[in-house]
Amino acid sequence: MNDTKGPSKNIPKHESQHISEHKNVSRCARFSPDGRFLATGSADTSIKLVEIAKVKQMMQPEARDGPVRPVIRTFYDHQQPINDLDFHPQNTVLISGSKDRTIKFFDFSKTVAKRAFRVIQDTHNVRSVSFHPSGDYLLAGTDHSIPHLYDINTFKCYLPPNFLDMGVNGAINQVRYSSTGGMYVTASKDGAIRLWDGVTASCVRSIDGAHGAAEATSANFTKDQRYILSSAKDSSVKLWEVGTGRLVKQYLGATHTQLRCQAVFNDTEEFVLSIDESLNEIVAWDSLTTELVARWPSNHIGAPRWLEHSPVEAALVSCGIDRSIRHWT
């Protein structure tokens, strides 16, 4: 991970396919841990569940037995736009966080269920959600500056014992657990990337001004939990060392200053992907050399506002202000 010399890898050119669209802006997307399903959430308050096998079938030119419909469920149970989604690590349960201050639980094994079977009522706009790897806890990043940790069996909410003295400001744009659940990370509107202890819920490291004065829009761990990838409205993507808080890499050359832009690794973590709003492109860097190795027209009308990569294969999804959902392979 040190200053890597040598040639950058080439990422294969990806082609995209329009798979569905919402009635308003497509705001967020999430793959299931096994990569078999994709959920998307919209400003129209709906959630669509897509079966990836049907997307692949749809992309085969010989599939001519009539149209393939990759959307297998649509859920309507929120009063305001959907901000984030996550899949339970073991069960057929999808959760959503919304501006209506709720987290809702949907069982997608039931073919006719359109509404949630459980609801957590939060006190703030729920901007981000993340399941603990055990499936027994979830995190909510909200307009409150401290992440809300819920026991999903009792719905009890835990906050750090000293949270009033922490001096933390700014709504949370994203919260994500590490692969073992021993830590979680937040990206906040005050520009800080914060690392939290998964057991005590206390903040163990705050990287203040991680992106200057710009608000941090995304943060997630590498699979080995040694690094955090973050992005912000200063048009930079950065890689941080968890153990020291040291900046290890910077990925530059893409403009993102307006939308809540995501930076993500591909499934092998060889590449970092993000969005260039000004050129309406999806961009990719070699994660080791930091060289920008690909630019692809997004095929959205207006820049995409969300990017998510499959955890198991070379596929990603983009969601747009043009309401559309595109699958890339």
Side-chain angles (χ1 to χ4, degrees):
M1 294 306 299
N2 298 327
D3 296 329
T4 310
K5 301 291 189 285
S8 299
K9 294 187 175 78
N10 287 321
I11 188 168
K13 184 163 185 342
H14 284 50
E15 301 289 342
S16 76
Q17 169 100 0
H18 176 279
I19 54 171
S20 188
E21 65 181 49
H22 286 275
K23 294 183 175 67
N24 203 326
V25 174
S26 296
R27 290 174 58 83
C28 55
R30 205 74 176 270
F31 281 92
S32 61
D34 59 10
R36 290 176 55 214
F37 297 99
L38 165 75
T40 64
S42 170
D44 69 10
T45 76
S46 75
I47 299 162
K48 289 180 184 280
L49 183 73
V50 174
E51 190 174 345
I52 297 302
K54 293 195 172 184
V55 174
K56 291 175 179 174
Q57 193 183 339
M58 180 181 164
M59 295 168 92
Q60 298 301 323
E62 64 273 13
R64 287 289 168 264
D65 303 333
V68 177
R69 302 195 191 283
V71 176
I72 57 169
R73 308 269 188 284
T74 304
F75 300 109
Y76 304 93
D77 206 13
H78 280 286
Q79 306 305 311
Q80 289 196 49
I82 314 295
N83 289 323
D84 199 11
L85 301 153
D86 200 11
F87 285 86
H88 191 282
Q90 291 93 28
N91 303 333
T92 54
V93 171
L94 173 70
I95 56 169
S96 53
S98 166
K99 283 189 175 181
D100 64 15
R101 302 183 174 190
T102 64
I103 302 161
K104 300 209 170 184
F105 292 65
F106 300 90
D107 182 348
F108 60 89
S109 68
K110 295 182 165 49
T111 53
V112 294
K114 293 273 194 289
R115 300 201 174 275
F117 69 92
R118 297 182 82 175
V119 180
I120 292 177
Q121 182 68 55
D122 201 276
T123 49
H124 295 72
N125 168 20
V126 182
R127 305 170 70 86
S128 184
V129 287
S130 182
F131 261 122
H132 187 276
S134 69
D136 291 330
Y137 301 93
L138 70 82
L139 286 165
T142 72
D143 280 350
H144 188 204
S145 55
I146 308 290
H148 296 176
L149 173 60
Y150 286 98
D151 180 321
I152 72 159
N153 300 303
T154 65
F155 282 12
K156 188 172 168 57
C157 181
Y158 298 93
L159 295 173
N162 60 334
F163 78 91
L164 292 173
D165 309 321
M166 291 174 70
V168 175
N169 295 301
I172 293 170
N173 279 323
Q174 192 160 71
V175 60
R176 293 290 183 259
Y177 266 113
S178 65
S179 56
T180 62
M183 296 176 285
Y184 48 97
V185 64
T186 54
S188 296
K189 278 201 159 191
D190 65 3
I193 302 293
R194 293 187 178 90
L195 190 64
W196 306 75
D197 186 293
V199 177
T200 65
S202 56
C203 181
V204 293
R205 185 180 305 286
S206 183
I207 306 170
D208 298 322
H211 290 266
E215 69 176 89
T217 51
S218 79
N220 47 71
F221 288 92
T222 52
K223 290 173 189 169
D224 66 6
Q225 309 178 85
R226 291 174 58 203
Y227 302 95
I228 290 166
L229 185 72
S230 70
S231 67
K233 291 186 176 180
D234 64 346
S235 299
S236 76
V237 176
K238 297 182 177 183
L239 191 74
W240 308 89
E241 190 172 56
V242 167
T244 62
R246 183 173 64 93
L247 177 63
V248 184
K249 306 272 181 195
Q250 278 201 83
Y251 306 95
L252 303 172
T255 304
H256 36 91
T257 59
Q258 303 299 316
L259 300 172
R260 195 161 55 116
C261 173
Q262 309 293 301
V264 295
F265 283 105
N266 76 324
D267 55 314
T268 62
E269 298 185 342
E270 294 172 287
F271 300 100
V272 171
L273 296 113
S274 193
I275 292 159
D276 189 318
E277 292 170 359
S278 62
L279 298 175
N280 193 4
E281 291 176 331
I282 290 172
V283 296
W285 294 268
D286 181 298
S287 59
L288 285 177
T289 67
T290 73
E291 183 185 347
L292 205 159
V293 293
R295 286 183 173 275
W296 306 314
S298 82
N299 298 325
H300 287 275
I301 300 163
R305 62 169 296 137
W306 195 282
L307 199 63
E308 196 79 11
H309 201 286
S310 167
V312 297
E313 60 186 343
L316 59 140
V317 68
S318 55
C319 294
I321 49 178
D322 62 356
R323 309 179 304 189
S324 71
I325 306 155
R326 301 194 74 89
H327 183 266
W328 297 73
T329 50

